[in-house]
Amino acid sequence: MSNAQPPQASFWNDTGRSGIAAWIFSTDHKRIGLLYLYSTFGFFLTGVLLGLLLRIELIAPGRTIVGPQTYNALFTVHGVVMIFLFILPSFPGAFGNLVMPIQVGARDVAFPRLNLLSWWLYIIGAVIVLVSLFTGGGAPDTGWTFYVPFSARTGTNVSLAVFGVFIIGFSAILTGLNFITTIHRLRAPGMTWDRLPLFTWSLYATAWVQVLATPILAITLVLVMAERLLGTGLFDPARGGDPLMYQHLFWIYSHPAVYIMILPAMGVISDIIPVFSRKPIFGYKMIAFSSLAIAAAGSLVWGHHMFTSGMSDTAVLVFSFLTFIVAIPSAIKVFNWVSTLYRGSISLEAPMLFALSFILLFSIGGLSGLILGAAATDVHVHDTHFVVGHFHYVMFGGSGFAFFAAMHYWLPKFYGRRYAEKPALLAWALMFTGFNLLYFTMQVLGMKGMPRRYYDYLPEFASLNLLATVGSWILAAGLVIMLVNLFRGLRGGVPFEGNPWGGATLEWSVATPPPTENFEEEPLVTHGPYDFEGMGKP
Amino acid sequence: MNPARLMTTTEAIDPVFMFIFGACLVLLIGITAAMLYFVVRYHRSKAPEATSKAEGNLWLEIIWTVLPTMLVLAMFYYGWSGYLTLRNVPEEAMEVTATARMWSWSFSYANGVTSPKLYVPVGRPVRVNLVSQDVIHGFFLPAFRVKRDVVPGMKNHAWFVASKAGSYDLFCSQYCGTSHSAMISTVEALPEAEFAAWMEHEKSGEEQKEHPGHELLEKHGCLGCHSEDGSARVGPTLKGIWGRSVTVETNGAGRVVIADEAYLRRSILEPGADLVKGFPPIMPPFTLKDDELRAIVQYLRGLK
């Protein structure tokens, strides 16, 4: 990563240490951000490979490449890697660290050393998860949900994997604390709350979820370990325990966790769309407020994962109602994004294409979520491929595409070089096509009744599964083109200078790449984040 | 519920699907069309400068907060009333108990008949009581839009009525381990007379008592993984197991043992102690009484 030779003094070459130590012991938020970017994106690629293997196995009924036990381990590891090692830490860790302190006009986050510790905790947890795959009874085969009593009795290496995730949880809590403090205390003069860029607003809402919800995951995981190692019997009906209590505890964290994954993505979109429309964001306050509303109401809907579990019908009633309520702030955001385009001056460059496709894919994901929120229809599609499709529309079509948008939008700023535009558009077109072929087909499969986590399936599901697998290859081809293009461009592409897109947030006012101190002197903020009057024309 | 004709679960759920799908389709087409129109109409090649600096509009915000709220509340209400149909079992329903275990189903009727498939009479509602012997499973009938988890220690139930004769898929929907996807069966819906004939035939069949050892193997779900006919499943076959020389791994070291009584007992109580080469370490330990173990070993001796 240090091969890139930026043209001027910047955080790339201004360092006291040398070699790898200059990176892994750096407390500079930009270096830590890049550490997160490389490590989380590495795990993303691992997860993609596992996902492709899953799709190859499902290309036809019966055994194709692996046996059932291996398949079950593959989808478990795919889920654990993608959720705990990629999506959860990547947005706050990578782009939150890179961009947020500059956006608020600060020199660094509030606690730089704590920030470094967070990355280290993440890496230690990730290594423990990796070790768990190859030691003990083999890779966990429980699904990323670790449902008891199965997870308490399987002979695979669940305890160690769970311990790794437990450690990663602390990384998330510390990052959340750090960001809340930074946004409250380190804003530059004139950076009032209503001048805060919406990406920073979304990170602020996310940070509260990280701080408040992650401890519940930690408690739940400790209880699973106690169940396995000490035989506490809290979840074991044979000893008076209750398996449903585990599901409640798990989803009290894991549903809000979905908002940790999607809120920063919404923030990225809210920052990109005004810049490429050269027009202020429509409904700034509503978008900022809806992030807080999602973070708050999203903590009260976990029970919609359990409509068929046997919990009381009253609970089904309440959770279904609250689930529909949490849909409203998301809808408000979509309407405001689309209205921002109205009478703008729209440029369809790579970040904007990814951002616009986010709106479409997230809408499909969100609307299919309404099917899952209604009690009657949820029963039919629960635990089927419909849920798998829905989840990937929101998490991959949503967070994933927003992550790609953020890479194309912000990375040139930090590398001082840019990627080629045409391959970026080709990659986008392939990924968008392959994505819909893969996951829309999954939703149809689920409607027809194919359960999820199925190694083998009846012949009636064969042609759609073949179609989905072909979609996964098109998606992967696009991904490879995107990565090669980014890698080549950021290493040796044409220089990226100044503010070619005319962004009005503070990160576009500093040198490219930013110097270690970010700002030569403390900035005085005199305009809003989407006030493009007087910004450089493209 | 219409007293003249029973509303099936499918008839209760499908209109809810149509309503939500319809509304979602309208919204999705609206959002997409607006986006595409704006992108084409206000592309920088046609609109070099933005012609609006609008930062919001209170009335628009109110409209697109209130209208979606009303729409989703309608969805919520409609979804809830459909769900109530799934929960209110008709009084005249026939009772069947579905027992789930890793990785097979068995269905037992009030008169003691058991079957690996769920036979039901056409037109008669069926209440299925759900019992799990080990982990959580899911009782899923796609054709009837019915799903309910089968949770150990909990008394869950579901109901459905088949309005046409036929064979319908029955899946395990809650992930339960290695052979989760093989834990499938069918609902066999027979006309009333045929169902009665089937029941008679099964009842008479019950009189030929199986070996108690075989019954125990069936009861504890052993046969889901270990065949009695020599065919390969998740675990080694039980056919001809007595006296077979088996290559096992004990604490990581390979050795050859003869399958005798001590070996068979240990393999049931502590399956991980001597792991048969080539098979995954996935069998859970079983806690059986001494007379049960004796009966199983005696049965296995004779299983040539």
Side-chain angles (χ1 to χ4, degrees), chain A residues 190-390:
Chain A
M191 179 54 81
T192 51
W193 284 95
D194 59 358
R195 284 180 183 162
L196 215 51
L198 286 166
F199 178 59
T200 295
W201 258 115
S202 71
L203 285 171
Y204 179 71
T206 307
W208 278 108
V209 184
Q210 287 178 301
V211 169
L212 295 176
T214 317
I216 301 169
L217 175 75
I219 293 165
T220 312
L221 295 177
V222 167
L223 290 178
V224 171
M225 286 187 276
E227 194 86 356
R228 287 178 64 86
L229 303 174
L230 309 174
T232 44
L234 271 175
F235 306 131
D236 181 359
R239 280 174 288 172
D242 181 0
L244 255 56
M245 185 171 72
Y246 171 82
Q247 297 182 18
H248 278 293
L249 286 170
F250 180 81
W251 289 115
I252 288 174
Y253 164 76
S254 293
H255 195 78
V258 174
Y259 298 109
I260 300 180
M261 307 183 221
I262 196 69
L263 278 171
M266 293 168 155
V268 171
I269 303 309
S270 309
D271 266 14
I272 289 177
I273 285 182
V275 169
F276 290 87
S277 308
R278 296 196 62 71
K279 185 169 166 273
I281 188 94
F282 199 84
Y284 171 90
K285 283 188 179 151
M286 286 301 274
I287 293 182
F289 170 75
S290 61
S291 287
L292 297 178
I294 290 173
S299 305
L300 302 171
V301 301
W302 74 85
H304 66 217
H305 296 270
M306 299 168 61
F307 286 169
T308 69
S309 68
M311 72 176 177
S312 82
D313 290 339
T314 316
V316 174
L317 176 79
V318 172
F319 282 119
S320 173
F321 176 77
L322 291 170
T323 301
F324 278 110
I325 296 301
V326 85
I328 298 165
S330 301
I332 291 173
K333 279 186 198 277
V334 170
F335 297 139
N336 279 303
W337 289 326
V338 174
S339 303
T340 304
L341 301 173
Y342 175 67
R343 294 179 69 184
S345 170
I346 296 164
S347 160
L348 287 180
E349 285 162 86
M352 184 63 160
L353 272 179
F354 279 108
L356 292 176
S357 48
F358 166 95
I359 298 182
L360 194 61
L361 300 177
F362 175 76
S363 295
I364 298 178
L367 292 169
S368 64
L370 298 176
I371 297 272
L372 292 161
T377 44
D378 174 77
V379 168
H380 177 61
V381 288
H382 179 74
D383 271 333
T384 67
H385 269 64
F386 188 87
V387 176
V388 184
H390 157 77

Side-chain angles (χ1 to χ4, degrees), chain A residues 68-69 72 75 137 141-143 147-150 153 155 237 243-244 247 275-284 286 307-311 313 316-317 320-321 324-325 327-328 331-332 334-336 338-339 341-348 356 359-360 363-364 367 370-371 374-377 379-384 386 447-449 451-456 458 460-461 533 537-538, chain B residues 12-13 16-17 20-21 24-25 27-28 31-32 34-35 38-39 42-45 47-57 60-61 64-65 68-69 72-73 75-76 78-84 86-87 102-103 133-136 140-143 145-149 151-154 156 169 171-184 234 280-282 284-286:
Chain A
Q69 184 65 24
N72 294 345
F75 74 66
D141 63 340
T142 57
Y147 269 22
V148 292
F150 182 77
R153 51 185 280 168
L244 255 56
Q247 297 182 18
V275 169
F276 290 87
S277 308
R278 296 196 62 71
K279 185 169 166 273
I281 188 94
F282 199 84
Y284 171 90
M286 286 301 274
F307 286 169
T308 69
S309 68
M311 72 176 177
D313 290 339
V316 174
L317 176 79
S320 173
F321 176 77
F324 278 110
I325 296 301
I328 298 165
I332 291 173
V334 170
F335 297 139
N336 279 303
V338 174
S339 303
L341 301 173
Y342 175 67
R343 294 179 69 184
S345 170
I346 296 164
S347 160
L348 287 180
L356 292 176
I359 298 182
L360 194 61
S363 295
I364 298 178
L367 292 169
L370 298 176
I371 297 272
T377 44
V379 168
H380 177 61
V381 288
H382 179 74
D383 271 333
T384 67
F386 188 87
M447 283 300 298
K448 291 167 82 82
R452 67 178 183 156
R453 299 174 172 177
Y454 259 33
Y455 163 73
D456 193 7
L458 296 177
E460 67 217 46
F461 302 123
E533 294 287 342
K537 261 191 213 173
Chain B
I13 304 301
V16 188
F17 266 115
I20 301 182
F21 268 136
C24 288
L25 203 62
L27 279 170
L28 188 64
I31 292 167
T32 314
M35 249 169 62
F38 291 161
V39 165
Y42 303 112
H43 191 268
R44 197 158 292 169
S45 58
E49 281 299 327
T51 49
S52 159
K53 299 278 172 221
E55 296 191 359
N57 181 312
L60 274 177
E61 300 289 350
W64 66 46
T65 305
T69 305
V72 296
L73 287 183
M75 290 179 185
F76 158 72
Y78 215 14
W80 172 248
S81 56
Y83 178 76
L84 284 182
L86 292 178
R87 301 298 298 145
M102 295 155 90
W103 293 280
Q133 291 192 341
D134 37 49
V135 300
I136 303 178
F140 178 26
L141 305 176
R145 321 287 187 252
V146 165
K147 184 180 290 119
R148 195 76 174 165
D149 287 3
V151 184
M154 267 182 88
N156 281 352
D169 295 332
F171 295 127
C172 175
S173 55
Q174 185 62 267
Y175 175 70
C176 59
T178 309
S179 294
H180 168 53
S181 65
M183 191 169 159
I184 59 180
V234 177
I282 51 168
F286 284 77

Side-chain angles (χ1 to χ4, degrees), chain A residues 6 8-15 28-31 97-98 101-102 106-108 413-416 506-521:
Chain A
Q8 64 202 78
S10 72
F11 78 100
W12 285 94
N13 41 31
D14 177 17
T15 170
D28 177 13
H29 68 95
K30 298 175 287 299
R31 291 200 167 206
N97 264 315
L98 276 174
I102 313 185
R107 191 186 173 282
D108 206 315
K413 178 78 199 172
F414 287 90
Y415 283 81
L506 280 182
E507 76 270 26
W508 298 105
S509 71
V510 300
T512 308
T516 305
E517 279 75 27
N518 296 343
F519 301 93
E520 283 170 22
E521 53 193 70

